[in-house]
Amino acid sequence: MTRVTPDPFDQSASPDTVAIRWLGHAVQLLDQRRLPQEEHWLTIEGAAGVSQAIRDMAVRGAPAIGISAAYGVALAARGADERDWRTEVDVAIAALAESRPTAVNLFWALQRMEGVLRQCRSREDAVARLAEEAIAIHREDLAANMAMADLALAAMALDKPCAVLTHCNTGALATGGYGTALGVVRRLHEQRLLTRVYADETRPWLQGARLTAWELVKDGIPVVLNADGAAGAILAQGDVKWVIVGADRITANGDVANKIGTYCLAVLARHHKVKFMVVAPSSTVDMTLERGSDIPIEERDGREIRQVGGIAIAPEKVGVFNPVFDVTPANLIDLIVTERGVVHNPEVTGMHKLFG
């Protein structure tokens, strides 16, 4: 398999797996729907194409969605008409905001880009400054991933190597180039504190099987792929000491929305006395929402459950419940790790102390 181009910002600590590349006139997105069979890059020159890529899950993972949307705004300015450029960029931002409803990083990135847009006095100024801001968002996410990995290892305080279990994909493919929860796994491996990582396959899009396993095998990190329903049996064996997951939105009381199946893992972890850690950038924290029940949960087409790779595995007319995310209550979480710091046993006071 041909290896992808190294990290665009030359971070020597980063794996060479990246999902987003900025070309100045276009953004390139590694089409994650085609992995692991094929490494295919989409070259997108307009905001509409970025919106479609986010909606179709060619790019996914909350941080990567936010970064891609920021580049989409920069492309909107570049392609706008000289006479009505501000209105065209505003329309593009509105369309990008509608592409996925749950990941707060999307709205955080768009708000940052809007703030820069308001300061621009000409289309030429907007083209330059919006591109600079998008690149800054990308760079900051990569730096945050590195910081979170260090903070997590310090909080774990391991005295010997252990196994961990993770869900979905939270690595270089889902971020600016290193990973949130999978960044912690990478750091454990670098410090020789990892015996193996169990990767839930993560139905229905199989991000664990197609993406996490692909990343870890590629980087030489010991990984065991398991069906989602096998997680309880794995935790019962006793060698897994931590469940480490990412997040798409974290509310003011410490509730966490993440890929469907995360809540089940948290319940299983508590039953088996396994620690449960959420790793996500501070841009994922939404202090405007009091609790997890306030989070809008995206539901997708039932064909994603009834089919695998376009092949039917269930009756066409069967009803389907297909939420993309579930909410894990704060009382099942031991640590929330962001680049700003760590919240132990998260609740309202701890969240407000760190995030205001």
Side-chain angles (χ1 to χ4, degrees):
M1 182 180 289
T2 303
R3 294 177 76 82
V4 296
T5 299
D7 178 81
F9 302 127
D10 261 346
Q11 296 276 344
S12 60
S14 297
D16 63 357
T17 303
V18 294
I20 306 167
R21 298 193 297 221
W22 176 242
L23 305 182
H25 69 284
V27 63
Q28 285 192 319
L29 302 175
L30 182 59
D31 190 343
Q32 298 185 36
R33 299 166 299 183
R34 298 197 184 189
L35 291 173
Q37 290 87 356
E38 179 186 7
E39 294 181 28
H40 174 75
W41 287 87
L42 302 170
T43 300
I44 301 172
E45 297 184 352
V50 175
S51 295
Q52 192 66 43
I54 294 171
R55 189 162 31 248
D56 292 345
M57 294 180 68
V59 59
R60 29 67 52 203
I65 287 171
I67 294 164
S68 300
Y71 284 131
V73 177
L75 291 173
R78 185 179 181 86
D81 184 271
E82 190 73 44
R83 294 168 298 179
D84 202 22
W85 62 271
R86 190 180 296 274
T87 298
E88 289 187 29
V89 177
D90 284 337
V91 170
I93 290 173
L96 285 160
E98 293 177 355
S99 57
R100 295 290 299 275
T102 302
V104 72
N105 305 63
L106 170 65
F107 308 104
W108 170 86
L110 292 176
Q111 286 169 3
R112 268 186 65 165
M113 298 300 283
E114 279 185 306
V116 173
L117 178 63
R118 286 194 294 269
Q119 300 170 24
C120 297
R121 295 292 175 263
S122 68
R123 175 184 167 276
E124 183 180 9
D125 186 32
V127 169
R129 294 182 65 177
L130 289 173
E132 289 173 1
E133 188 69 8
I135 292 169
I137 288 171
H138 195 165
R139 287 183 182 275
E140 290 167 18
D141 182 75
L142 186 54
N145 292 344
M146 304 295 184
M148 286 185 284
D150 291 334
L151 288 167
L153 254 65
M156 293 168 80
L158 295 174
D159 56 5
K160 60 181 180 180
C162 72
V164 302
L165 186 146
T166 193
H167 190 66
C168 197
N169 174 263
T170 57
L173 293 172
T175 64
Y178 191 75
T180 54
L182 219 57
V184 177
V185 170
R186 283 197 164 92
R187 189 69 92 240
L188 287 168
H189 178 67
E190 292 164 6
Q191 298 299 317
R192 299 185 178 181
L193 289 171
L194 180 73
T195 57
R196 70 184 63 82
V197 52
Y198 291 95
D200 282 355
E201 62 178 353
T202 321
R203 281 278 290 150
W205 274 74
L206 299 171
Q207 295 99 322
R210 296 187 303 103
L211 306 179
T212 294
W214 179 78
E215 276 198 48
L216 295 179
V217 167
K218 188 173 184 176
D219 292 331
I221 298 173
V223 57
V224 177
L225 180 65
N226 59 273
D228 293 358
I234 291 169
L235 296 183
Q237 294 173 2
D239 62 330
V240 171
K241 302 304 180 186
W242 286 87
V243 173
I244 309 175
V245 301
D248 285 80
R249 193 177 297 211
I250 303 171
T251 58
N253 70 338
D255 290 349
V256 170
N258 193 50
K259 183 58 57 183
I260 189 73
T262 303
Y263 177 32
C264 301
L265 280 180
V267 173
L268 287 168
R270 183 55 54 95
H271 176 75
H272 291 290
K273 296 180 173 57
V274 173
K275 296 289 188 180
F276 192 92
M277 179 194 301
V278 174
V279 186
S282 58
S283 56
T284 305
V285 177
D286 186 352
M287 296 298 285
T288 69
L289 299 185
E290 292 185 13
R291 57 186 65 84
S293 58
D294 298 328
I295 299 174
I297 300 297
E298 176 185 2
E299 291 193 37
R300 292 178 65 88
D301 194 296
R303 284 174 294 184
E304 296 178 357
I305 302 292
R306 293 191 297 264
Q307 300 177 3
V308 173
I311 299 173
I313 61 170
E316 179 62 29
K317 294 184 179 180
V318 69
V320 171
F321 178 53
N322 186 23
V324 185
F325 309 97
D326 56 25
V327 175
T328 300
N331 60 13
L332 293 177
I333 299 168
D334 293 287
L335 297 177
I336 292 178
V337 180
T338 77
E339 80 281 9
R340 291 193 191 181
V342 179
V343 181
H344 296 262
N345 303 313
E347 39 71 44
V348 173
T349 302
M351 292 294 294
H352 277 272
K353 183 176 180 180
L354 190 58
F355 299 106

